[in-house]
Amino acid sequence: MTPLLEVEDLHVRFPLTEGTIEAVRGISFTLGRERLGIVGESGSGKSQTGRAILGLTARPGEVTAKRLAFDGIDLMAAPERLRRSLRGSRMTMVMQDPRYSLNPVMTVGQQIIESYRAHKRVSGRDARRAALAMLDEVRITAPDRVMALYPHELSGGMGQRVMIAMMLITGPELLIADEPTSALDVTVRGEVLRILDQLVAERGMGLILISHDLEMVASFCDRVLVMYAGKIVEELASGALDQARHPYTRGLIGCLPKLAGDSHPLPVLTRDPAWAR
Amino acid sequence: MATPLIEARNLSVRFGVGRLTVAALDDVSFTLAPGESLGLVGESGSGKSTVLRALTGLAPLSGGSLKLGGVAVPTPRRMNFFTAVQMVFQDPYASLHPRHTVDQILAEPLAIHRIPHAETRIVAALREVGLGPSYRFRYPHQLSGGQRQRIAIARALILRPKVVLLDEPTSALDASVQAEILNLLEDLRRAFGLAYILVSHDLAVVAHLCERLIVLRQGRMIEETTAGALRDGSVKTDYTRAMLAASGGFTRVGPTAPPTAPLRNT
Amino acid sequence: MAAGPSPLTAWLTTAEPQSRTQARVGHAYQSFRRLARNPTAMAGLVIVGLLVFVAAFAPLLATHSPIASGDLRTERLLPPGPVFWLGTDDQARDIYSRLLYGSRLTLAVVILVSIIATPIGLAIGTVSGYFGGWLDRVLMRITDIFLAFPRLVLALAFVAALGPGIENAIIAIAITAWPPYARLARAETLTIRNSDFIHAVRLQGGSSLRILLKHIVPLCLSSVTVRVTLDMAGIILTAAGLGFLGLGAQPPTPEWGTMIAQGRRFLMDQWWVAAVPGIAIFVVSLGFNLLGDGLRDALDPKASR
Ligand SMILES: Nc1ncnc2c1ncn2[C@@H]1O[C@H](COP(=O)(O)OP(=O)(O)O)[C@@H](O)[C@H]1O
Ligand SMILES: Nc1ncnc2c1ncn2[C@@H]1O[C@H](COP(=O)(O)OP(=O)(O)O)[C@@H](O)[C@H]1O
Ligand SMILES: [Mg+2]
Ligand SMILES: [Mg+2]
């Protein structure tokens, strides 16, 4: 069986006048219908990896890969039209702050319905029914009331659930969630993660969860890739943080203050230039 | 007991007028002893920042009283208030003037308070926060997030305050940088006998730096507890317990379908 | 380059200046380098520099008197040629020489208007935006009233009150030019005033005056400067309009706008009489424009790299 996503030697480069920035430097992984986490500090290339997979790399950026395939389709060779139709219908992305990803002058309902009808030929009534059902699935109470709200009238957690509903309504097989809970409170975060978890399990989707929060990702995902300076330095199994071997991963775990067994001063991460090589 | 450094009684703050009034703070009271460190936790919108803004006078009080060192604090604040109370903001990208060099940023409080020997004070302040003199003439955009937060801390400390208000000082930073800043804050506290009021949504950060903490919800204090109680889980309210549970990472409840379940619509 | 930078360049560009003076000079040098690397800004600088040069040395560069008429029978409305390089006008005066002397007035108008109108606009706009409340409402209503009148009509009213003459025309134009700058400065102030770096100064005990002058005005200054340079053409033309109505520069003073106004009658047959000062206004406006745009980028330290 072909894996859902194959990535081999993916590079993302930004040629700028001051020199070329290598945001992603040759990463490889495959994804089945599972939950894969990508963690690393800011600037390590997590978002650029997600964007490159979807074909959303910003302007001067160049993407190269030995292989980048979605369900057997070679994305590097695919024409832009095919990629556009894949994006949104079979693979999709949820961003960090829903307030910047939703259109401020359209109601939530209009936006969900629009994104549904962009990929499915259905009547307005059916689309509306699907949108209501989807909002219900992300556990929004009184979905018909929420449909009429504008994005600024939503709280952070509600906005993120609307965003997830909008992205999942077309029944995609791959969801890339880029820091979906970083702007949320811890209590709301758990709820959003549980919704994601359930939807992924029910629908048998593949999920790439991007985050800087190692503990959260390790407790949520089946596998975790640790990125540093555009490279994958370590792969960990779910919940196996204590088995991390790379000094960067161990440093990241160590430098977090902990409720149980806190150390004063906190150990700090000393970076070895060899990690980036 | 010695007189508390800060004594806040029944603080309330309202925003807006008429029917649109929001009670951002309602009847919040606490004290802070010299050298002590107090945490404020709660989810976003619960009024944590408003407490700090009310203390500093950036948000007008609609009720309650405030004492600094046993003396009532007037509105508008006097100069001696600002030498005693300083603040570090959440977003290090927004709290430094984009067109001022580090030197100009640190010189400003000294100029306002007419403190002599500014240049030596600035170099010393940079050293205190672990930055060399080479950073003195840089602009904020030439610094990393952690370095900027160090500059913001240096600016707060250059007037030698007794209390520093910290509004989520590390939540915009990476974990590794957060550890460095937390260590720095601890060292500075020890070196200068500082008292802190730390706002954070991260219970582990609060427990790391503070002995006591207040839990806010919708502008009200719902619990006053200690870092020790957080550690051993002996908190009183369900709300705090839920926050504590949520901060321990993701826990899967009940059986989940196997990840290779068939696609729903094929 | 094989050779390393000279000691002076190294001193100017070091990342670790040893003193405030060195840092200030170094930052100024970096700004200049950014400006110098921008070809359109340099074109603007050259044009403005040329204007200043011409205004300063007009008596040396002029070939004829700008005021005295030539022979009215043989030298009226001559096309450009070897004696009268840019032709003559209906009073048989050399247009080239009038143009040179006229640059003095143009420069004076431009400088005076900008040093009067810019501070007024900045002060009203930043005060209004910073304090808000009733002060904001009052100041903005006044601004709106000024904005509601066409500039020339308003200037006309002021000149009528103050009396004709180029000085009064300049004052009148300055008084009518500030409202757009006030609006712009207010809009910028509104976005700045609630930022944390302003709160930080307030928490250090900084007075409102200090916050306005040292922290807000410098941030508004660049966009207002660009706006002022964009308005230069309009300012020169308003001066011309007043001159045309007999309320600005009085004949025979050589002033570019008045020159166009007088040449208007011969536009069909003797085009150069109006076209030459017109081109001069166009080129000078363009020069200020390019320079202003380049200055905005050069003065922003973030643009460096
Ligand atoms: N549009 C761009 N132009 C140039 N460099 C970029 C651009 N976008 C991202 N980068 C660079 O790519 C690197 C990785 O960025 P990103 O993937 O967003 O990191 P993160 O792990 O925080 O999501 C960063 O060093 C960043 O500077
Ligand atoms: N300037 C303001 N005008 C109106 N409402 C405000 C203002 N500042 C804060 N609030 C409201 O006060 C409440 C508390 O806000 P804040 O103290 O910033 O919360 P926290 O820092 O805990 O996230 C929120 O409901 C917020 O919407
Ligand atoms: Mg990112
Ligand atoms: Mg806050």
Side-chain angles (χ1 to χ4, degrees), chain A residues 33 35 41-42 137 185-187 193-194 197 201 203-204 219-220 255 257-259 262-266 268-269 271, chain B residues 43-44 174-176 178-180 182-183 186 204 207-208 231 244 246 249-253 256 259 261 263-264:
Chain A
R33 301 192 183 277
R35 293 168 292 240
E41 58 200 338
S42 58
E137 264 192 273
D185 287 313
V186 274
T187 43
L193 286 177
R194 244 184 304 286
D197 188 45
R203 302 179 164 204
S219 60
F220 183 83
C255 68
K258 286 165 200 67
L259 276 172
D262 213 358
S263 59
H264 293 260
L266 289 165
V268 294
L269 190 65
R271 283 152 212 276
Chain B
E43 54 190 41
S44 64
D174 276 316
S176 57
Q178 162 170 291
E180 292 168 17
L182 290 179
N183 288 343
E186 249 186 342
H208 183 80
R231 289 184 202 289
L244 205 49
F250 180 76
T251 39
R252 221 161 247 117
V253 281
T256 44
L263 266 180
R264 197 177 59 166

Side-chain angles (χ1 to χ4, degrees), chain B residues 126-137:
Chain B
L126 281 175
R127 199 175 331 112
E128 281 162 15
V129 295
L131 295 176
S134 62
Y135 290 92
R136 198 175 142 199
F137 296 106

Side-chain angles (χ1 to χ4, degrees), chain C residues 62-294:
Chain C
T63 50
H64 296 77
S65 158
I67 292 167
S69 301
D71 187 335
L72 285 177
R73 281 163 308 167
T74 57
E75 294 176 343
R76 275 187 81 232
L77 298 169
L78 290 181
V83 180
F84 301 105
W85 294 349
L86 296 176
T88 58
D89 65 7
D90 59 330
Q91 304 290 317
R93 291 172 300 202
D94 178 35
I95 294 180
Y96 168 69
S97 304
R98 282 178 68 74
L99 201 65
L100 295 186
Y101 278 94
S103 66
R104 293 182 156 189
L105 260 181
T106 302
L107 198 61
V109 169
V110 158
I111 290 176
L112 285 172
V113 168
S114 43
I115 64 173
I116 299 173
T118 311
I120 297 178
L122 267 176
I124 291 183
T126 51
V127 164
S128 183
Y130 181 72
F131 290 103
W134 62 267
L135 190 60
D136 179 34
R137 282 197 291 279
V138 170
L139 288 176
M140 280 303 113
R141 281 307 80 76
I142 296 174
T143 310
D144 287 343
I145 291 169
F146 273 86
L147 274 174
F149 284 101
R151 182 187 285 182
L152 188 61
V153 174
L154 201 59
L156 213 64
F158 277 105
V159 177
L162 298 168
I166 189 69
E167 301 85 1
N168 289 343
I170 289 171
I171 293 172
I173 295 169
I175 291 175
T176 56
W178 63 266
Y181 312 145
R183 278 260 166 221
L184 187 63
R186 175 175 177 272
E188 294 241 327
T189 307
L190 285 180
T191 65
I192 302 167
R193 75 162 179 192
N194 278 326
S195 53
D196 284 346
F197 64 86
I198 297 297
H199 288 156
V201 191
R202 270 201 245 165
L203 291 190
Q204 290 151 8
S207 62
S208 296
L209 184 68
R210 185 179 192 96
I211 292 173
L212 278 173
L213 287 181
K214 287 195 68 176
H215 299 263
I216 292 183
V217 167
L219 282 176
C220 297
L221 196 59
S222 56
S223 52
V224 170
T225 306
V226 173
R227 179 67 205 259
V228 171
T229 59
L230 288 172
D231 278 356
M232 285 306 173
I235 289 170
I236 296 172
L237 289 178
T238 311
L242 288 176
F244 177 62
L245 293 169
L247 296 170
Q250 299 299 309
T253 317
E255 196 264 331
W256 292 355
T258 324
M259 286 164 70
I260 298 180
Q262 286 166 354
R264 181 183 62 100
R265 281 177 288 153
F266 321 105
L267 205 57
M268 289 303 151
D269 304 318
Q270 287 89 22
W271 54 267
W272 58 89
V273 182
V276 165
I279 292 170
I281 291 178
F282 168 74
V283 169
V284 167
S285 310
L286 185 71
F288 274 110
N289 233 303
L290 296 177
L291 181 64
D293 225 31

